[in-house]
Amino acid sequence: QDKKISGRVLDAASNQGLPGVTVLVKGTSTGTATDAEGNYSLNVPNTGTLVFSFIGYTSIEQPIGASSTVNVSLAADTRQLNEVVVTALGVERSRNSLPYAATQVGGEEVTKARNPNFLNSLSGKVSGVNIRQSNNLGGSTNVVIRGNKSLYNSNQALFVVDGVPISNANTNQSDQYTGRGGYDYGNVGADVNPDDIASVSILKGAAATALYGSRASNGVILITTKKGKKGNVNVTLNTGSTMGFMDKSTFPKYQKEYGAGYGAYYGPNEDAYFEQFNRPDFEPGSLYVPFQQDASYGAAFDPNLMVYHWNSLDPTSPTFAQKTPWVAAKNGPSYLYKNTVGFNNNITIDGGSDAGTFKLGYTNTKDKGMLPNSQINKNMVNFAGSLNLTPKLVTSANINFTKIDGLGRYGTGYDSWNPNQQFRQWFQTNVDLKEQKDAYFRNKQNITWNPRSATDLRPIYSDNPYWVRYENYENDERFHYFGNIMATYKFTEWFDVMGRVSLDSYDELQEERNAVGSTGTPFYSRFNRTARETNYDLIANFNKNITEDFTFKGLLGSNFRRHQINSVFAQTNGGLVVPRIYSLSNSVNPLNPPFENDQKYGVDGYFASATFGFKEMAFLDLTARRDQSSTLPKGNNIYYYPSAAGSFVFSELFKDTPWLSYGKARVNYAEVGNDAAVYSVFNVYGKQDQEINSSTRPSVGSFGSIPLFSLPNTRNNPNLKPERTKSFEAGLEMSFLTNRVGFDVTYYKSNTVDQIIPIQVSTTSGFNFQYVNSGEVQNKGFEVTAFVNPIKNDNFSWTLNANWTRNRNKILALAPGTENLVITTYQGGVSSNASVGQPFGTIRGTGYTLNDRGEKVIDSNPASAYYGLYKQSPSTTVIADPNASWIGGVSNTLEYKGISLYFLLDVRHGGQLFNLDTYYGYGTGMYPITAGNNDLGNPSRGPVGEGGGIIFPGVKEDGTPNDIRIANTEGVYGYNQPRQMHVYDAGFIKLREATLTYSLPAAFINRIKPFKGIDLSLTGRNLWIIKKHVPYADPEDNLGAGGNGNYGLGYMSGSYPTYRNVGVNLRFRF
Amino acid sequence: CKDLDEYDNLNPKAATTVPGVSLVSNAQRVLANTVNTPDYNINPFRFYVQHWAATTYPDESQFIIETRSVNRYFWDPLYRDVLSDLNEGKKVITADAVLDPKVKANQLAAVEVLEVYAWSVLVNTFGDVPYTEALNADNVLPKFDDDAAIYADLVTRLDKAIGMFDASAAGLGTGDLYYNGNVANWIKFANSLKLRLGMNYADVDPGKSKTMVEAAAPNVFTSNTDNAKITYLAALPNRNQLYESLVQSGRADFVGTTTLVDPMIATNDPRLPIYFKPVAGSTNFKGGTAGAPNSATNNSIPGAALENPTLPGMLLTYSEVEFLLAEAIERGYAVSGTASEHYNAGVTASILEWGGTATEATAYLAQPSVAYATAAGDWKQKIGFQKWISLYSQPTQAWTEWKRLDAPNLVKPAAAISEIPLRLPYPTTEANLNTTNYKAASAAIGGDVVTSRIFWDKL
């Protein structure tokens, strides 16, 4: 029956051969791909249809006739409506037949702006996907699709690379993602090499992901890596470098009128702005800066006033024992920050023959951060190969190896390792950072601006920032290997069986230190962690047409998943004996027992799916999965997840309507799950504190030789069952005018019930938390994508893509009798909450008191400590909703001959955050708002009796306009006011990416062999924050990127500035 | 791959059965830490009784409680760690089939005494609290009980416990962080606690007070060696909390107040150079202003004795017992000795407890301004003042005694946001998580404010 057909596929626009085009006998899995020159050959039956498809081009169907040569030209399809989309379990389907929303992003789009973390480069490009990133070097990125569904379990999308589920976990401590401090070690998903990505499919709704069963509730990011193709060996070389420059609108500006102090509390009578110490070697009766005060509500600067500064105390300083003028710092905190530099080099070799294909890639990236002594190196090797052992048996292997080395990641949150705790919250405007730098480098000692006194130079609250960067640094490394081996046996044309074993495995080491001489106890700690996930898949595929018009595809499979996580955390105790030796044996006191973690669990899944098609016009999908999980109580641990989905390509009925190019309606319903965390069923005793959502207290296992045991703070539940998300989705996809303009609208509604939540309970029960299955969270919303291609001719084309997402999240119920679940509490007296009737993550804290007319009431009681300040409401007031009202992106691509200009606007509208930086920093008088003149034209910090002071806008308790003039002293703009005063709109409009690419003309390339192509591009990331509302900071750089997607929402502390990144990239193809 | 049935979902690093005493040991440690720690995020009472003032960050000394959830961090460990672990320890000990019945009785009696102690601290601090329905994981919405009713039950339980002890048998053994298993000491401790609770009744139920005090008095502490205390260790994390705050933190958060330092200077108190250091670079002592920010360099900071990591943490001392006996006599209870004798013994015990000598105590007491007969004020002021000085490192009890005796006369700091608290407000978590019962309790005590009084605080 077989015969051989060969031919060449050309790009209709350039008439160049088109490599990588899928050539498939319709309705079968017989097929091949074109080689680098666009050639193919294939054994085919005598009758049937050949389908030529390629991402970004309109597919073409050609009947198999008598000829043994079939040449076709594919035209670029700006909308890719008929493209092949990778769906759950790696099944490729034509977009036409999809009954649910799935977005595919090409590899080019991901790498375009050369972002080292490919997740960040999805921001603004895909509707329904909320990317939360930080400005931290190598920091975490959270990907939440269609809203937070689970109150406590992870809301992070599942990542699958070539069928291998890989973790997007981060190992950050709870202190990190709740703003108390610590490092952000980044998320494991970022270990995927962007240069190796062929395409990314985003499966958003439950119907698209139902085959993944109990881990499918958060959507799936499917990554398909590049594969070798039959034909010549190709070599691609990429080399790029980027530089970053601070966006000054995201860094504080400081007032330059007043220096150190909290007020006139110093000197022998505690009534002066300066201290007077008895230091015999210094001039008697002199004034000393109140060094130990970390605020700037001190004396007005006066260049004629000579005082002893912190650097007068340092015997090695050129100004030792000398008084210098009392002036604002010449080099403020931004002096610590440097321009960032990044290098990225990649080489990929691929090729293949009839016997198989291979691809080998190597990428090295090096990123130097904005703070001194910070760097992340990545080395990534990928290999993919396939071998056709017999025409019926294909085997393949795919291995990715990534090594990440981090040094000097930035401290986060409210922590001495984060210099912004000083720079944004507690600082003296007279401190010159260049002098701090010189002071550190003179002797490599912690010469801080914040010593205890003129005779005790040990730091009291803040270390020298250079000391922190060079002495109290962290370092980490992660070896990450993931890959699979796979064999497919084709029993018949319509039936094959695939077996696959895949592994995602990483080993990491994180070392942290606090050097001898720092604030706090010196220590060294190490955290070793290994994680392994193994998946065993066996899948049978059926692909048989029932009749000519009625098609059927079926799938039957099993998936056994096994997890193991092992970790040890150990820390020195009581200090370090020998400075600068960082080993556990250098501990002053005997070590406390290291904290061990050993998690083993598994899930067995069986699944089936059936897809029926009628005349390429109507499709029906049915899937079912049965999961059995070891983390649930035995005998009660089997659960079923069904889905049903249908689509109807109604434009098939209107083939004569010229303006309508395409129209499809789709609707689906599905249920998916999320099982319990391991070890949350049985109750055990704790020998060490096991706290959830709480600042960790030191773990205590014994009192000397006496053992201590305690009931854990969280009570487990022997009756747990999985969470379930029930979701409904409907969509309409249309395009017009020969695909020059079109849209895709999706409405979805999902309800997540039986939430597994460690609800916080009254500690009078003996526990802080209890696991329950309760509560319901609803997410509903619209996703819109639209495109228009206003100009398209041989030389010039302009394409505009837009996407818009509006998600509405609401807690419908919690546990009976529970109206509010405190997700976590934050520094500054605010908390993150799930309250019935409210969206997820509302921030509670003290708010304004409003009168009947909605005006802010001022405390008018002269006896009150808050007299003249805003009257505060109870701390349970909801003061901020972190959820954006909508997010969207608009991209423009302009192409003229070989030049392509692309830029992306990324928009977040609404959502609020509480800003601890201004809450403290406005209170300590660093920012311009706290100085300058008042409404009377007098210095606001002057005495009220002499025309100074301030009047806060509002009304008195009797309703009359506020006229209470109060002294402008520490706290009045910050921490003495309601928390609500420091709530800001977190929305923004950003010019997220811009690239200018020039491909050298083929005619030119052909003359300079060995090159097949040379592309030159200029890239830019985060070039311009067009609009924002948070002062002195990037609204995106809150803590929302850490944790599992549930923490840090709407809370900013110790924020890092944004860097504008520009780069050059050169790509050679041989 | 491994069969799913082989996964038992049990954490291999956690225990499912533990020795009952190990839970009691943990409770003892947390109890001692919580009532005495100088960490103002947990225990702000050194500020309230004006032993200390703050340096740079005076919020807590101005009675700002909510910002750092101070009330929650005092409440939580008492319920979640102390009482919950005692309760669990009691269950494990009771279920122990091989334990000698006499030893078991001694262990359970000691647990009972510790529970009574912890409950009394909770009631003295908050007023009505969940009691009868507390410590039941299946009821996360326990009702609050009337503070007087709780006290009445505590007295019953304490009496029962006293009756259970048998000094001829062993007790908690080496796991006993307070008395190393010495049952005779526990009997004295239980009676001394009864004396303390009995005196708390003095203003509300003088009859009951008299009965309790007279019954307890013959069996109370007779010297400092009887003190209920935890002896901390030199190594982290079992050092005295004072050491952690004053030395290990590297901070300088506290100075003495004029309220305490001035009278100690005026009376040549031998404890002054122990309690405080002279101002840096001088030999003079100087107190700071309570409730205001103060310079750590121009004022006296806490003394070197407090920087000793192994300084014991006191739960109940002989000195306190003597002051209670002096008071009992002034109130006309039938207790041996004279008020003056007990007063002198209390002062002397305090000085000895802090490392002073008997000679110093005698000289101190000989001064007319100190001597019981001639010191200023009525008996309440005399005893209250000395007791206030003696409870220097027991802030929770110092605050309780100040509330009860209203002596010494403390003046509310100028910058305070409220009166000196007579109780702590309930934690916000209770208001959020147990709302209905919280509201009922707030109404019952006259409002969840710092000025509502504990039932025994009549005057």
Side-chain angles (χ1 to χ4, degrees), chain B residues 29-37 42-43 73-75 77-78 82 241 396:
Chain B
R29 175 180 173 278
V30 179
L31 175 63
N33 284 353
T34 306
V35 298
N36 290 336
T37 180
I42 298 171
N43 182 326
Y73 292 118
F74 190 76
W75 170 285
L78 289 175
V82 178
Q241 302 287 298
T396 306

Side-chain angles (χ1 to χ4, degrees), chain A residues 405-530:
Chain A
D405 291 277
L407 171 71
R409 288 176 194 264
Y410 319 151
T412 67
Y414 192 78
D415 192 318
S416 69
W417 285 267
N418 180 355
N420 296 311
Q421 189 200 26
Q422 298 180 23
F423 297 165
R424 291 180 183 270
Q425 300 177 353
W426 310 99
F427 199 59
Q428 301 178 351
T429 51
N430 46 290
V431 173
D432 187 304
L433 263 290
K434 181 174 185 304
E435 290 173 5
Q436 279 280 282
K437 181 182 184 180
D438 295 344
Y440 167 69
F441 280 106
R442 268 195 300 273
N443 290 301
K444 303 236 168 128
Q445 293 300 312
N446 188 9
I447 308 294
T448 175
W449 54 271
N450 191 210
R452 295 170 173 228
S453 76
T455 48
D456 186 346
L457 304 191
R458 291 176 297 164
I460 180 158
Y461 308 115
S462 293
D463 296 313
N464 180 321
Y466 286 90
W467 167 270
V468 174
R469 292 305 309 161
Y470 286 97
E471 304 285 345
N472 295 344
Y473 60 91
E474 66 79 40
N475 63 280
D476 57 272
E477 59 182 24
R478 178 166 65 233
F479 293 88
H480 191 176
Y481 16 95
F482 56 94
N484 63 56
I485 51 173
M486 184 165 100
T488 307
Y489 191 80
K490 198 178 287 180
F491 287 93
T492 71
E493 282 302 327
W494 54 269
F495 174 52
D496 65 58
V497 173
M498 184 273 280
R500 179 171 59 199
V501 178
S502 61
L503 174 73
D504 174 26
S505 170
Y506 54 96
D507 296 277
E508 55 192 340
L509 166 67
Q510 297 166 359
E511 293 179 284
E512 299 181 10
R513 45 184 72 64
N514 197 35
V516 175
S518 307
T519 54
T521 308
F523 72 82
Y524 160 75
S525 72
R526 63 180 295 153
F527 179 55
N528 286 73
R529 184 173 191 264
T530 62

Side-chain angles (χ1 to χ4, degrees), chain A residues 294 452 573 762 764 768 770, chain B residues 57 80 88 135 137 236 250 430:
Chain A
D294 47 6
R452 295 170 173 228
N573 187 15
S762 165
T764 60
N768 277 74
Q770 289 194 5
Chain B
Y57 309 107
R80 182 196 59 208
E88 184 73 10
L135 306 179
L236 273 172
E430 286 303 310

